[in-house]
Amino acid sequence: MTDYPPARDAGQRKRDALTRLETDEDAWVSSASGDGPPRLVPLSFVWHDERLWMATKAKNPTVRNLRAQAACWVALGPTRDVVLIESTAEVIASDSLPDDTGEAFARKLGWDPRGRAAWVFLVFRPLRMLVWREVNELAERELMRDGVWRV
């Protein structure tokens, strides 16, 4: 029999998820278009104004997928400390990013793709967030629904 750590209450899981969103640098982004295979790629991100912001080359298949189908999932953490975020994504030209977001991105990640024509920004608006570590947290894992924190 496996001994799991005690289940965290919803408030603690939210605090842990926000810490991960603020301190982690990389996330897995899944996307799919109607006429191609699904994609799963790692991208660096910044959590700013309750959104995930990422940058990638404009010709990346993930960008094509997200332009065709804005619905996607973003995952953070290892399999025993998951933050899984159902999102809608928007593609923004590299010279159209709000200044405060660009500064937050450059400060956290140490590089600044603003103004580079070959690059775009992706902004992910969380709709649903699931957070769990072990089986004892699965029942109460939904911390956000319809873009609103439940805790």
Side-chain angles (χ1 to χ4, degrees):
M1 181 170 183
T2 303
D3 286 331
Y4 298 113
R8 299 167 293 172
D9 66 29
Q12 185 61 54
R13 281 184 289 122
K14 179 182 178 183
R15 287 187 295 278
D16 291 347
L18 287 170
T19 296
R20 185 168 292 289
L21 285 162
E22 292 164 3
T23 60
D24 282 14
E25 292 184 358
D26 301 313
W28 289 99
V29 177
S30 71
S31 65
S33 69
D35 60 353
R39 306 283 299 180
L40 181 63
V41 297
L43 292 172
S44 297
F45 76 92
V46 85
W47 175 251
H48 183 73
D49 289 339
E50 295 278 314
R51 304 284 189 266
L52 289 149
W53 299 82
M54 303 179 193
T56 191
K57 296 273 185 133
K59 293 184 179 185
N60 184 313
T62 299
V63 174
R64 285 194 304 272
N65 284 354
L66 293 173
R67 285 183 197 265
Q69 171 59 262
C72 61
W73 287 86
V74 177
L76 302 157
T79 58
R80 300 224 183 248
D81 193 5
V82 177
V83 178
L84 188 58
I85 307 165
E86 182 179 2
S87 303
T88 58
E90 180 182 353
V91 179
I92 298 175
S94 66
D95 60 354
S96 297
L97 195 68
D99 286 338
D100 63 330
T101 304
E103 291 165 16
F105 189 93
R107 185 173 44 255
K108 179 179 180 185
L109 300 175
W111 66 290
D112 191 350
R114 286 181 288 179
R116 297 181 188 183
W119 289 80
V120 294
F121 284 91
L122 306 173
V123 58
F124 298 85
R125 184 174 64 86
L127 300 174
R128 185 173 180 227
M129 194 174 303
L130 308 173
V131 179
W132 76 94
R133 283 191 184 149
E134 299 287 350
V135 69
N136 61 358
E137 292 184 353
L138 287 176
E140 301 295 324
R141 67 182 174 249
E142 186 179 62
L143 299 185
M144 179 185 283
R145 183 186 303 154
D146 299 324
V148 177
W149 289 103
R150 299 179 69 205
V151 291

